[in-house]
Amino acid sequence: MRTLVLWDIDHTLISVRGLSAEIYSTVFHQLTGRAIERVADMAGRTDRAITAETLRYHDVEPTADLMLSFTDALGRAFAARQDEIKARGSVLPGARAVLEALSARPDVVQSVLTGNMRPIAECKLSAFGLERFVDVEVGAYGLDHADRPPLVRLAQDRAALKYGERFDASRTVLVGDTPHDVRAGHQGGARVVAVASGASSEADLRAAGAEIVLTSLTGTDAAVHAILNVSRP
């Protein structure tokens, strides 16, 4: 009986220090010929939702063709700047050690549940050598749905198909850094370990209902224990 651990990426595992917003701005200008006024709030949201809201803010209708062009351009732009991701960004304290410790356990399947679309998620993870610790095939991504909660069931179904086991709320843990992550886990069917490694405080994460709130992922044994035991009813 394995536990499915689903990781958020930005501000939970890594930080790219504003590069994502820069790339959104560049792509917007490329496709519309206009300077961007603002990028929609990114914290805990999907690329699909961020793109649509950013376009609507500028009175641009997010048609299916434009959304496809925009997200394709985003993927290419991130790939082109992967070296910059590594140079400007960093793995957050303790994240690599916890990923490595969990990946060595036969009772754990690790993947990601992220607002990033899959090519961007893989680009960010591989920039820091983290992709080898997670099974990206069973993850759920920012173009799979505009909202995060349905991504939980999608990842569970993908993991069940690959591993031949059923992953329900008692055997699924979402690890993230925002109240959006907490709500996604609970509404989607997972338990939640929240990490106050982003803009949200420990108090914010507790108020959102996270079962466990960690200050950071430092202290590998304690973090692994929290993640594995929060999955038990």
Side-chain angles (χ1 to χ4, degrees):
M1 299 286 287
R2 284 178 276 202
T3 297
L4 177 63
V5 180
L6 298 171
W7 289 92
D8 175 55
I9 294 177
D10 292 298
H11 306 295
T12 300
L13 294 176
I14 67 169
S15 171
V16 295
R17 294 183 173 85
L19 185 59
S20 294
E22 288 180 23
I23 292 176
Y24 262 88
S25 298
T26 298
V27 169
F28 180 88
H29 183 263
Q30 288 173 347
L31 293 182
T32 68
R34 297 165 51 185
I36 199 166
E37 296 177 29
R38 74 171 179 91
V39 178
D41 180 31
M42 291 182 165
R45 304 182 69 211
T46 65
D47 277 332
R48 187 168 161 183
I50 294 164
T51 299
E53 184 177 318
T54 298
L55 290 168
R56 288 194 180 101
Y57 179 83
H58 296 85
D59 296 320
V60 178
E61 181 63 25
T63 63
D65 286 347
L66 181 55
M67 288 288 289
L68 180 60
S69 295
F70 202 109
T71 53
D72 283 349
L74 280 176
R76 292 193 301 271
F78 271 93
R81 298 177 72 172
Q82 188 173 44
D83 289 344
E84 190 175 351
I85 292 172
K86 184 175 181 180
R88 286 179 52 173
S90 62
V91 179
L92 293 176
R96 187 185 302 275
V98 175
L99 285 170
E100 186 171 9
L102 288 171
S103 71
R105 297 183 60 110
D107 59 343
V108 171
V109 174
Q110 280 192 118
S111 191
V112 293
L113 190 144
T114 174
N116 293 299
M117 61 191 213
R118 181 169 172 175
I120 294 175
E122 292 181 330
C123 180
K124 290 178 177 179
L125 291 171
S126 61
F128 301 104
L130 301 181
E131 77 289 348
R132 65 182 180 273
F133 301 124
V134 297
D135 184 348
V136 295
E137 290 183 357
V138 302
Y141 302 93
L143 292 187
D144 289 327
H145 200 282
D147 299 318
R148 291 179 80 101
L151 299 182
V152 177
R153 171 51 57 189
L154 182 57
Q156 289 170 329
D157 289 345
R158 287 171 173 168
L161 183 63
K162 181 168 182 177
Y163 293 96
E165 298 179 28
R166 178 173 175 265
F167 296 96
D168 58 15
S170 70
R171 296 176 55 204
T172 306
V173 182
L174 189 154
V175 187
D177 68 285
T178 73
H180 288 299
D181 296 312
V182 179
R183 286 190 287 271
H186 290 163
Q187 293 174 18
R191 293 170 181 255
V192 180
V193 173
V195 188
S197 48
S200 301
S201 68
E202 293 179 59
D204 291 336
L205 296 169
R206 289 194 184 93
E211 285 86 343
I212 294 176
V213 178
L214 303 176
T215 304
S216 72
L217 292 173
T218 57
T220 304
D221 290 345
V224 168
H225 183 270
I227 290 167
L228 294 183
N229 284 279
V230 76
S231 67
R232 306 293 187 251

